[in-house]
Amino acid sequence: MTLRVGLIGAGVMGGDHARTLSRHVAGATVAAVTDIDPSRADQLAAELGATPLASAEDLIAAQDVDAVIIASHDAAHATQVLACIEAGKPVLCEKPLAPTSAECERIIDAQRRRGLGALVSVGFMRRFHPSFTAMKLQVDARSLGEPVLVLGSHRNVSSYPTGGSDGTLSNSAVHDIDTAAWLLGSVVVEVEWFAARQSALVTDRQDPQLIHLRSANGVLASIDLFLNAQYGYDVRYEVVCERGNLRLRPPALVDTDRDGVSGHSLHPDWRGFFADAYRLELTSWVERVTQGRPSELATAEDGLRSTLVAEALIQSRQEGKPVRVRRSTVDEGQPSLMPNAVVEQPERWSHT
Ligand code: ISE
């Protein structure tokens, strides 16, 4: 069976997903495209031999669309995901599932009531990056003992989309929140936000920002987000364990020595850095939808958890102090919230 996929949002990420799906993923085809700018939908549809449709509603309802990818503006996600659930169609929604936890909870409720199983997946593609996957395998196996600290950096050349200081948290930091919880197998229970010295080149938001995330199993993750770092797209991660460290390898094909400088070139944005991850993520989604294959894909519940942590960070930014993350309705009564999580009460944030 060939899965006929409809794409909502033909911008930077939608275009990338559609091209990856039609060039590199077996068993699926891009059948229809829609965008708030019809000319963008027309152009992408013509390139891929798909049908341009006038609206997200038309696309979700279309008889020849079996499943949907949502790559529209963050604010449109919840309504569109809810419509997919109503239509009983599997949907891969770009992160964040929705910018507010109330919207995420509505989605989870609707999915439960529809009773067709997990229709919703969320595009936390780092889970498929080969180097992140290798790190997670080692963390799960405790090959270097217990993880004790995570150090990370998330840097963009320039911020996209717009969104101010809170946008950095709800749109970009959600990746790091999901990464920390997924890598450690334990949800984030407490956070603190810090402003670094403001870059004079940036006027629309605090940039860089530093976030601290405390997982339920007591590990601290310290991550800087610098969305206008100018020099290149860069994601760095290190998991410090009791007997050694695990470090993410950048996806460079070659190291170059020239003019007294040795090193690898950097990608201009996330599409190149995470190209393999996007391909593997889409492949896994198609296999899951068509063959019921198990997958590392983030669920709607994971989407809710990351948005709850982003909200706590926004609160910490406003109040200038550590904030406990509100426990999600889906996790009520659960001592541990992720597979492999260590079941224990988190310690209070400790500054000593
Ligand atoms: C962007 O929306 C993404 O999804 C990228 O993966 C991320 O690195 C970037 O910070 C976001 O703005």
Side-chain angles (χ1 to χ4, degrees), residues 64-293:
D64 59 354
V65 167
D66 306 313
V68 178
I69 294 178
I70 296 179
S72 53
H73 192 276
D74 295 357
H77 287 183
T79 310
Q80 293 166 353
V81 172
L82 285 166
C84 290
I85 295 171
E86 189 58 38
K89 295 193 178 176
V91 52
L92 173 61
C93 180
E94 258 309 320
K95 39 54 58 182
L97 175 57
T100 67
S101 54
E103 292 168 296
C104 296
E105 279 169 341
R106 268 205 297 286
I107 289 170
I108 290 166
D109 253 26
Q111 177 168 260
R112 227 179 247 155
R113 274 187 280 108
R114 192 72 175 82
L116 291 175
L119 290 174
V120 181
S121 304
V122 184
F124 285 122
M125 78 299 184
R126 289 181 182 179
R127 293 170 172 230
F128 293 89
H129 184 283
S131 185
F132 270 120
T133 306
M135 285 169 89
K136 167 133 177 93
L137 282 174
Q138 292 218 42
V139 172
D140 284 354
R142 298 295 191 263
S143 55
L144 300 175
E146 288 295 322
V148 291
L149 178 68
V150 175
L151 299 171
S153 296
H154 180 164
R155 316 233 174 101
N156 287 232
V157 173
S158 54
S159 47
Y160 172 89
T162 51
S165 296
D166 291 350
T168 297
L169 300 167
S170 66
N171 182 275
S172 295
V174 282
H175 276 300
D176 302 286
I177 295 163
D178 184 72
T179 300
W182 171 77
L183 265 180
L184 297 168
S186 181
V187 285
V188 175
V189 291
E190 191 164 27
V191 302
E192 190 164 10
W193 182 93
F194 301 90
R197 177 174 168 171
Q198 176 68 16
S199 162
L201 305 178
V202 185
T203 52
D204 73 330
R205 68 185 73 208
Q206 169 60 49
D207 206 25
Q209 306 182 12
L210 179 73
I211 59 174
H212 282 178
L213 313 172
R214 173 84 67 187
S215 66
N217 60 359
V219 181
L220 180 66
S222 175
I223 294 142
D224 71 82
L225 292 117
F226 192 6
L227 297 199
N228 295 274
Q230 314 289 317
Y231 70 91
Y233 185 79
D234 201 7
V235 170
R236 303 176 191 187
Y237 264 76
E238 180 171 28
V239 182
V240 179
C241 302
E242 289 168 320
R243 287 197 299 274
N245 309 322
L246 302 163
R247 244 190 326 278
L248 185 77
R249 294 200 68 152
L253 294 178
V254 69
D255 286 340
T256 308
D257 305 325
R258 189 168 67 195
D259 302 330
V261 179
S262 175
H264 64 267
S265 51
L266 295 164
H267 293 277
D269 67 37
W270 56 89
R271 287 170 297 174
F273 193 105
F274 286 111
D276 286 341
Y278 285 120
R279 183 175 45 77
L280 294 166
E281 175 187 64
L282 286 168
T283 304
S284 180
W285 180 61
V286 169
E287 288 178 351
R288 180 163 175 242
V289 171
T290 58
Q291 302 159 35
R293 269 259 185 81

Side-chain angles (χ1 to χ4, degrees), residues 3-10 14-15 17-19 21-23 28-35 38-54 59 62 64-65 67 69:
L3 187 73
R4 297 165 302 176
V5 176
L7 172 74
I8 304 176
H17 279 322
R19 291 184 190 99
L21 195 78
S22 50
R23 288 180 196 152
T29 183
V30 181
V33 180
T34 190
D35 193 279
S39 68
R40 275 205 313 202
D42 288 349
Q43 228 173 322
L44 187 63
E47 181 189 327
L48 301 173
T51 308
L53 292 176
L59 182 135
D64 59 354
V65 167
I69 294 178

